[in-house]
Amino acid sequence: MLSGAYAVLSGAPALVVAVDRYVLADSARPATFLTPEVQAALGERAAPWFDASALRDGEQKLGLGSSAAILVASLAALELAEESSLSDEALCKRVYERAFVAHRTAQGGGSGVDVAASAHGGLLAARRTPSSSLELTRLELPRGLCFEVWACSVSASTSAFLARIAQFAAREPAAHAARIQAQAEAAEAALSATERGSAADFVLAIARQVETLTALGQAAGVSIVTPELSELARLAAAEHAAFLPAGAGGGDVAYWVGAGAPPESFAMRARALGLSRVQLRLGARGVHAVSSHT
């Protein structure tokens, strides 16, 4: 998620992008592990084998939406076992809604934007509807931007962070509404900049979300923007760039966006703080069939 964390649950737009770190699923082999999301989708039906190692760094998950990707890939493998000639578009249509519902069921809520990215690919603007589904619009990132993704030294629990924010909303509804409104306005600005193709305004909108998510976390008593990420965000701002947690925060991954790559001094400090660069490409293809010949 590039933009709109937390506020997306209140109707603000999120910007979510697929990356070329894939889960591979194979219906010819039985699953060696069953995720709650796949079980919610399949019930008693046998699940396919999957390999999600590309979305992990050893034993640590990177925070790239692996549960959504595993679910989408697993459902797609079963569809392709029945009809191997499905196009990407047809395959997406077969699995997206089922995956969206199963993911929300298993996780007890959430926006589902990671399911959308896994299925559709590319860059999507996602806005929640009154029925809690997502209205999706395909977009292109503004030209002239450099993105770098960095993995934090700790994994974060999105569900735990959402629970803390919900507790804050119940405890102090007016304060919560004010913090979410500020984040929503920054998310709207990021969407507007994307639609207009304004690289400079996009960076400014992402930098605003460092501030609004920091304020939301402080009010809720949860470290959305960790001290390490806060320091790196200040270094990025000095280079007219932004550095933001890619989603719920608290760990997992964060990303640099600016007119150019970060200087070596930034990279050195990031590594000293325990972060490591993640090699990936944004705007990747969504769910699709592969074979040993592709």
Side-chain angles (χ1 to χ4, degrees):
M1 184 185 287
L2 297 179
S3 171
Y6 297 101
V8 65
L9 297 173
S10 301
L15 294 175
V16 59
V17 66
V19 301
D20 61 345
R21 293 282 189 121
Y22 288 98
V23 169
L24 180 67
D26 184 359
S27 62
R29 303 165 63 182
T32 55
F33 177 76
L34 185 63
T35 69
E37 295 80 13
V38 172
Q39 184 166 20
L42 297 181
E44 298 302 316
R45 187 179 179 186
W49 171 91
F50 69 85
D51 177 6
S53 58
L55 280 74
R56 304 184 69 87
D57 182 9
E59 295 301 312
Q60 180 178 318
K61 71 181 184 72
L62 290 172
L64 295 173
S66 59
S67 65
I70 290 167
L71 175 59
V72 169
S74 297
L75 294 180
L78 295 176
E79 291 292 335
L80 289 164
E82 296 180 2
E83 190 173 347
S84 61
S85 61
L86 289 172
S87 65
D88 289 6
E89 182 180 5
L91 187 58
C92 178
K93 287 182 178 180
R94 293 273 188 99
V95 306
Y96 170 62
E97 290 293 344
R98 290 170 57 205
F100 183 85
V101 171
H103 200 267
R104 282 182 54 81
T105 299
Q107 299 206 349
S111 66
V113 297
D114 44 2
V115 177
S118 296
H120 291 272
L123 173 70
L124 301 169
R127 194 185 292 268
R128 200 173 192 183
T129 69
S131 64
S132 295
S133 62
L134 290 177
E135 180 183 274
L136 302 174
T137 305
R138 193 172 292 279
L139 296 171
E140 297 290 336
L141 286 166
R143 295 185 178 182
L145 289 174
C146 175
F147 290 84
E148 279 195 4
V149 176
W150 289 76
C152 302
S153 58
V154 295
S155 297
S157 170
T158 298
S159 59
F161 274 54
L162 288 173
R164 293 290 293 275
I165 298 299
Q167 291 166 9
F168 169 49
R171 184 175 65 249
E172 301 179 59
H176 172 266
R179 299 298 192 280
I180 290 295
Q181 180 60 31
Q183 169 66 355
E185 290 172 358
E188 293 282 5
L191 173 60
S192 174
T194 304
E195 293 173 333
R196 291 181 285 108
S198 174
D201 286 351
F202 182 88
V203 173
L204 288 174
I206 299 305
R208 279 178 60 190
Q209 291 182 59
V210 176
E211 299 172 1
T212 55
L213 288 176
T214 297
L216 175 63
Q218 290 174 341
V222 62
S223 186
I224 296 174
V225 181
T226 64
E228 295 81 6
L229 297 186
S230 181
E231 178 182 340
L232 292 171
R234 291 193 294 271
L235 294 178
E239 302 292 333
H240 306 289
F243 194 70
L244 183 72
D252 287 342
V253 293
Y255 73 95
W256 161 288
V257 58
E264 181 56 27
S265 57
F266 176 93
M268 289 178 62
R269 185 57 184 155
R271 289 191 289 268
L273 291 170
L275 282 76
S276 57
R277 174 83 187 280
V278 181
Q279 297 291 338
L280 50 74
R281 181 177 62 85
L282 303 185
R285 185 180 178 185
V287 64
H288 59 276
V290 297
S291 71
S292 59
H293 304 295
T294 59

